[in-house]
mmCIF file of all heavy atoms in Angstrom:
data_model
loop_
_atom_site.group_PDB
_atom_site.id
_atom_site.type_symbol
_atom_site.label_atom_id
_atom_site.label_comp_id
_atom_site.label_asym_id
_atom_site.label_seq_id
_atom_site.Cartn_x
_atom_site.Cartn_y
_atom_site.Cartn_z
ATOM 1 N N ALA A 1 -8.560 19.560 168.309
ATOM 2 C CA ALA A 1 -9.927 19.658 167.792
ATOM 3 C C ALA A 1 -10.424 21.080 167.971
ATOM 4 O O ALA A 1 -10.211 21.693 169.017
ATOM 5 C CB ALA A 1 -10.862 18.677 168.506
ATOM 6 N N GLN A 2 -11.074 21.583 166.945
ATOM 7 C CA GLN A 2 -11.608 22.950 167.016
ATOM 8 C C GLN A 2 -12.818 22.999 167.940
ATOM 9 O O GLN A 2 -13.634 22.080 167.971
ATOM 10 C CB GLN A 2 -11.988 23.419 165.606
ATOM 11 C CG GLN A 2 -12.515 24.845 165.536
ATOM 12 C CD GLN A 2 -14.038 24.911 165.537
ATOM 13 O OE1 GLN A 2 -14.707 24.013 165.025
ATOM 14 N NE2 GLN A 2 -14.599 25.957 166.124
ATOM 15 N N GLY A 3 -12.903 24.081 168.708
ATOM 16 C CA GLY A 3 -14.038 24.304 169.591
ATOM 17 C C GLY A 3 -14.416 25.766 169.610
ATOM 18 O O GLY A 3 -13.834 26.585 168.892
ATOM 19 N N SER A 4 -15.395 26.101 170.421
ATOM 20 C CA SER A 4 -15.803 27.498 170.579
ATOM 21 C C SER A 4 -16.284 27.708 171.999
ATOM 22 O O SER A 4 -16.647 26.760 172.698
ATOM 23 C CB SER A 4 -16.879 27.885 169.559
ATOM 24 O OG SER A 4 -17.975 26.985 169.622
ATOM 25 N N ASP A 5 -16.291 28.971 172.422
ATOM 26 C CA ASP A 5 -16.504 29.278 173.837
ATOM 27 C C ASP A 5 -17.276 30.589 173.972
ATOM 28 O O ASP A 5 -16.743 31.664 173.732
ATOM 29 C CB ASP A 5 -15.137 29.387 174.530
ATOM 30 C CG ASP A 5 -15.217 29.447 176.041
ATOM 31 O OD1 ASP A 5 -16.077 30.191 176.554
ATOM 32 O OD2 ASP A 5 -14.411 28.778 176.708
ATOM 33 N N GLY A 6 -18.575 30.478 174.354
ATOM 34 C CA GLY A 6 -19.387 31.672 174.580
ATOM 35 C C GLY A 6 -19.701 31.916 176.034
ATOM 36 O O GLY A 6 -20.143 32.999 176.405
ATOM 37 N N GLY A 7 -19.478 30.886 176.874
ATOM 38 C CA GLY A 7 -19.709 31.035 178.305
ATOM 39 C C GLY A 7 -18.883 30.030 179.096
ATOM 40 O O GLY A 7 -19.146 29.797 180.270
ATOM 41 N N GLY A 8 -17.911 29.427 178.396
ATOM 42 C CA GLY A 8 -17.059 28.417 179.008
ATOM 43 C C GLY A 8 -16.940 27.159 178.180
ATOM 44 O O GLY A 8 -16.386 26.153 178.625
ATOM 45 N N SER A 9 -17.436 27.175 176.946
ATOM 46 C CA SER A 9 -17.643 25.947 176.172
ATOM 47 C C SER A 9 -16.387 25.279 175.658
ATOM 48 O O SER A 9 -16.464 24.168 175.126
ATOM 49 C CB SER A 9 -18.583 26.232 174.989
ATOM 50 O OG SER A 9 -19.892 26.443 175.440
ATOM 51 N N ILE A 10 -15.226 25.906 175.771
ATOM 52 C CA ILE A 10 -13.946 25.225 175.567
ATOM 53 C C ILE A 10 -13.383 24.781 176.901
ATOM 54 O O ILE A 10 -12.908 23.651 177.062
ATOM 55 C CB ILE A 10 -12.938 26.135 174.828
ATOM 56 C CG1 ILE A 10 -13.333 26.295 173.364
ATOM 57 C CG2 ILE A 10 -11.511 25.580 174.933
ATOM 58 C CD1 ILE A 10 -12.464 27.270 172.586
ATOM 59 N N ARG A 11 -13.442 25.660 177.900
ATOM 60 C CA ARG A 11 -12.788 25.376 179.182
ATOM 61 C C ARG A 11 -13.538 24.336 180.014
ATOM 62 O O ARG A 11 -12.926 23.536 180.726
ATOM 63 C CB ARG A 11 -12.647 26.686 179.960
ATOM 64 C CG ARG A 11 -11.650 27.659 179.298
ATOM 65 C CD ARG A 11 -11.894 29.095 179.724
ATOM 66 N NE ARG A 11 -13.130 29.613 179.161
ATOM 67 C CZ ARG A 11 -13.986 30.389 179.811
ATOM 68 N NH1 ARG A 11 -13.748 30.743 181.063
ATOM 69 N NH2 ARG A 11 -15.077 30.831 179.219
ATOM 70 N N ILE A 12 -14.860 24.314 179.926
ATOM 71 C CA ILE A 12 -15.643 23.325 180.678
ATOM 72 C C ILE A 12 -15.289 21.901 180.238
ATOM 73 O O ILE A 12 -14.932 21.063 181.077
ATOM 74 C CB ILE A 12 -17.150 23.606 180.534
ATOM 75 C CG1 ILE A 12 -17.506 24.937 181.202
ATOM 76 C CG2 ILE A 12 -17.976 22.471 181.136
ATOM 77 C CD1 ILE A 12 -18.871 25.486 180.786
ATOM 78 N N PRO A 13 -15.358 21.572 178.932
ATOM 79 C CA PRO A 13 -14.957 20.230 178.536
ATOM 80 C C PRO A 13 -13.470 19.958 178.718
ATOM 81 O O PRO A 13 -13.071 18.812 178.932
ATOM 82 C CB PRO A 13 -15.372 20.149 177.057
ATOM 83 C CG PRO A 13 -15.558 21.554 176.623
ATOM 84 C CD PRO A 13 -15.967 22.321 177.818
ATOM 85 N N ALA A 14 -12.640 21.006 178.650
ATOM 86 C CA ALA A 14 -11.210 20.793 178.928
ATOM 87 C C ALA A 14 -11.028 20.281 180.348
ATOM 88 O O ALA A 14 -10.234 19.371 180.605
ATOM 89 C CB ALA A 14 -10.435 22.093 178.729
ATOM 90 N N SER A 15 -11.772 20.858 181.288
ATOM 91 C CA SER A 15 -11.686 20.411 182.674
ATOM 92 C C SER A 15 -12.221 18.997 182.825
ATOM 93 O O SER A 15 -11.600 18.147 183.477
ATOM 94 C CB SER A 15 -12.457 21.370 183.586
ATOM 95 O OG SER A 15 -12.350 20.995 184.942
ATOM 96 N N CYS A 16 -13.359 18.698 182.220
ATOM 97 C CA CYS A 16 -13.972 17.373 182.343
ATOM 98 C C CYS A 16 -13.120 16.277 181.714
ATOM 99 O O CYS A 16 -13.189 15.117 182.136
ATOM 100 C CB CYS A 16 -15.355 17.373 181.697
ATOM 101 S SG CYS A 16 -16.620 18.304 182.589
ATOM 102 N N CYS A 17 -12.326 16.638 180.703
ATOM 103 C CA CYS A 17 -11.575 15.628 179.950
ATOM 104 C C CYS A 17 -10.075 15.714 180.161
ATOM 105 O O CYS A 17 -9.312 15.009 179.494
ATOM 106 C CB CYS A 17 -11.901 15.751 178.465
ATOM 107 S SG CYS A 17 -13.619 15.336 178.071
ATOM 108 N N GLY A 18 -9.611 16.565 181.077
ATOM 109 C CA GLY A 18 -8.189 16.635 181.387
ATOM 110 C C GLY A 18 -7.348 17.201 180.257
ATOM 111 O O GLY A 18 -6.271 16.685 179.952
ATOM 112 N N LEU A 19 -7.809 18.294 179.636
ATOM 113 C CA LEU A 19 -7.153 18.880 178.471
ATOM 114 C C LEU A 19 -6.795 20.341 178.716
ATOM 115 O O LEU A 19 -7.189 20.951 179.701
ATOM 116 C CB LEU A 19 -8.074 18.788 177.248
ATOM 117 C CG LEU A 19 -8.507 17.389 176.830
ATOM 118 C CD1 LEU A 19 -9.514 17.481 175.701
ATOM 119 C CD2 LEU A 19 -7.306 16.543 176.415
ATOM 120 N N VAL A 20 -6.060 20.879 177.751
ATOM 121 C CA VAL A 20 -5.775 22.309 177.702
ATOM 122 C C VAL A 20 -6.846 22.972 176.856
ATOM 123 O O VAL A 20 -7.118 22.535 175.727
ATOM 124 C CB VAL A 20 -4.387 22.576 177.091
ATOM 125 C CG1 VAL A 20 -4.129 24.084 176.979
ATOM 126 C CG2 VAL A 20 -3.299 21.915 177.928
ATOM 127 N N GLY A 21 -7.477 24.009 177.394
ATOM 128 C CA GLY A 21 -8.523 24.713 176.654
ATOM 129 C C GLY A 21 -8.421 26.206 176.860
ATOM 130 O O GLY A 21 -8.631 26.698 177.976
ATOM 131 N N LEU A 22 -8.102 26.943 175.807
ATOM 132 C CA LEU A 22 -7.922 28.398 175.872
ATOM 133 C C LEU A 22 -9.099 29.121 175.244
ATOM 134 O O LEU A 22 -9.478 28.832 174.099
ATOM 135 C CB LEU A 22 -6.637 28.794 175.140
ATOM 136 C CG LEU A 22 -6.423 30.303 174.897
ATOM 137 C CD1 LEU A 22 -6.181 31.044 176.201
ATOM 138 C CD2 LEU A 22 -5.278 30.542 173.917
ATOM 139 N N LYS A 23 -9.677 30.054 175.996
ATOM 140 C CA LYS A 23 -10.589 31.047 175.418
ATOM 141 C C LYS A 23 -9.778 32.308 175.153
ATOM 142 O O LYS A 23 -9.343 32.972 176.082
ATOM 143 C CB LYS A 23 -11.736 31.393 176.358
ATOM 144 C CG LYS A 23 -12.747 32.364 175.723
ATOM 145 C CD LYS A 23 -13.490 33.210 176.737
ATOM 146 C CE LYS A 23 -12.691 34.405 177.181
ATOM 147 N NZ LYS A 23 -12.566 35.458 176.126
ATOM 148 N N PRO A 24 -9.531 32.658 173.899
ATOM 149 C CA PRO A 24 -8.743 33.853 173.617
ATOM 150 C C PRO A 24 -9.498 35.136 173.978
ATOM 151 O O PRO A 24 -10.701 35.120 174.276
ATOM 152 C CB PRO A 24 -8.507 33.774 172.102
ATOM 153 C CG PRO A 24 -8.809 32.354 171.727
ATOM 154 C CD PRO A 24 -9.854 31.898 172.701
ATOM 155 N N SER A 25 -8.782 36.248 173.954
ATOM 156 C CA SER A 25 -9.396 37.551 174.187
ATOM 157 C C SER A 25 -10.472 37.836 173.140
ATOM 158 O O SER A 25 -10.415 37.337 172.010
ATOM 159 C CB SER A 25 -8.351 38.663 174.103
ATOM 160 O OG SER A 25 -7.394 38.560 175.118
ATOM 161 N N ARG A 26 -11.429 38.663 173.531
ATOM 162 C CA ARG A 26 -12.448 39.093 172.577
ATOM 163 C C ARG A 26 -11.773 39.740 171.355
ATOM 164 O O ARG A 26 -10.948 40.648 171.489
ATOM 165 C CB ARG A 26 -13.385 40.096 173.234
ATOM 166 C CG ARG A 26 -14.493 40.627 172.318
ATOM 167 C CD ARG A 26 -15.438 41.537 173.079
ATOM 168 N NE ARG A 26 -16.136 40.797 174.117
ATOM 169 C CZ ARG A 26 -16.354 41.255 175.351
ATOM 170 N NH1 ARG A 26 -15.877 42.444 175.717
ATOM 171 N NH2 ARG A 26 -17.014 40.520 176.226
ATOM 172 N N GLY A 27 -12.097 39.234 170.182
ATOM 173 C CA GLY A 27 -11.543 39.781 168.956
ATOM 174 C C GLY A 27 -10.240 39.159 168.516
ATOM 175 O O GLY A 27 -9.790 39.404 167.390
#
C-alpha cells in the first residue's frame, strides 16, 4: 500500500502494525 512520511508517517504505522516501512532519502 502506498504511503507517505513527513515526520514518521510510514514508519510509525509500520511499527504499530508489524510491517516493513521505508522512508527513502530526501529526493
Side-chain angles (χ1 to χ4, degrees):
Q2 182 263 328
S4 54
D5 191 316
S9 289
I10 288 175
R11 292 158 290 140
I12 294 164
S15 182
C16 289
C17 294
L19 301 174
V20 177
L22 170 68
K23 184 207 82 71
S25 295
R26 180 176 296 138

